[in-house]
Each structure stands twice: as structure tokens, then as C-alpha cells.
Amino acid sequence: MYIEWTETAAGKIAGKVQGQEGYLQLKYDTDGCGCVVSGVTALWWVNQPEEGTEKVETNGIALYVEKSKMIFLDEVMKIDFVPEANSFQLKSPNQILNPRMSFFNKI
């Protein structure tokens, strides 16, 4: 799996964490969705990567993804930031996986 960060998204993440120690995790959150296949992706800033996560290849910012949820994601993806929506966007060459992806500081 490879995830590319756009310059805009990388800058926005840097501004949100402001040098705070931690790890960035692409969380496939299924809470309140009713079914494990009906999740929504979000970016979580955490103290430690959760058990069962794997560091994925990126062009910059280190990112961890739950191994068991990788089947719901594409092999090549991009994380961008859309100022008009004030949110991150997760997309692949085939689809937009989350047009309004949230960031949560869990520290």
C-alpha cells in the first residue's frame, strides 16, 4: 500500500500537531455504522500506533493503517486537503473513498 500526501495536506497536518509527539493513524472507524464493512476513514493523532496496525509507505508523513481494514482500501491512495470543505480527502485513481475525512487529536 502506498499513500501520497499532497503538499497542502502535509502542511495542514503539521499545523494541527504543531510539533507534538505522536503517530498518525488512518483509522477505519465502524462505530455507529452498524456493520464492519460500512466504516468511514479518519485521521487520528495517537500516543502509540494501535496493536494490529502497520506502517505504510508514503511520500513523507509516516502513517499507520489497521492490517485487518486494509481490504477496504485501495493499493494506491492520496490524501489531500480541500480548503473549501475545511477537510481532508482520501482518494485513489479509481474513487473518492472519503470526500470529508476528519482529523482527531486523541492525545
Side-chain angles (χ1 to χ4, degrees):
M1 178 176 287
Y2 177 78
I3 299 178
E4 177 187 346
W5 288 92
T6 66
E7 191 175 317
T8 305
K12 196 66 172 180
I13 285 292
K16 287 187 174 288
V17 300
Q18 299 177 359
Q20 183 181 32
E21 293 291 321
Y23 297 87
L24 195 60
Q25 183 174 325
L26 181 65
K27 180 74 173 172
Y28 188 82
D29 193 0
T30 57
D31 287 347
C33 294
C35 177
V36 72
V37 297
S38 298
V40 62
T41 53
L43 293 168
W44 285 16
W45 187 248
V46 295
N47 284 317
Q48 292 290 325
E50 290 181 346
E51 187 174 325
T53 60
E54 182 176 295
K55 188 175 181 181
V56 296
E57 187 179 346
T58 72
N59 65 329
I61 299 171
L63 187 65
Y64 292 81
V65 178
E66 297 166 279
K67 289 181 198 176
S68 64
K69 303 299 193 289
M70 286 182 172
I71 61 169
F72 302 116
L73 303 171
D74 290 343
E75 192 60 32
V76 176
M77 295 178 292
K78 181 182 289 189
I79 296 177
D80 197 3
F81 185 81
V82 182
E84 298 81 15
N86 195 32
S87 62
F88 292 92
Q89 188 175 75
L90 180 64
K91 53 190 171 183
S92 75
N94 301 320
Q95 64 183 322
I96 295 178
L97 293 131
N98 189 347
R100 292 182 178 263
M101 187 167 61
S102 299
F103 170 86
F104 298 99
N105 189 333
K106 299 287 189 169
I107 296 179

